[in-house]
Amino acid sequence: MSGEMQSCIDECLRCYQSCLGMASNHCLPAGGKHVEPEHFRLMMACAEICRTSAHFMLIGLPEHTHTCRACAEVCEACARSCEAVGDMQDCVAQCRRCAETCRKMTA
């Protein structure tokens, strides 16, 4: 496994943890804009595609390029949504880092 792939796996797993943790421990208690269906579903989808992308790379499937492409797109959308909601800068930053490493894996 290349260093670049290991870095992508690490970022995907960190993003999975960040999105799921923020949704559960920040958004749900905060309420309001934080739990609007479109935003909350996007956070859940982001966590799941990050986990799936890491899984594909860990088991060595060449199709990881497909999940990484989708992951980058969903992470960017999640970052934009978290930025719009506000008070979620850690999630925004992690989603953007993950999107950047996933884009590298699709090249």
Side-chain angles (χ1 to χ4, degrees), residues 93-105:
Q94 184 56 56
C95 284
R96 291 205 167 120
R97 281 192 300 272
C98 186
E100 183 180 332
T101 61
C102 279
R103 278 191 294 273
K104 289 178 184 174
M105 294 308 299

Side-chain angles (χ1 to χ4, degrees), residues 24 27 73 86:
S24 299
C27 291
E73 291 173 14

Side-chain angles (χ1 to χ4, degrees), residues 17-28 43 87-88 91:
Q17 182 178 7
S18 178
C19 285
L20 194 58
M22 285 290 285
S24 299
N25 301 310
H26 176 74
C27 291
L28 285 176
M43 289 193 74
D87 193 29
M88 300 185 69
C91 196

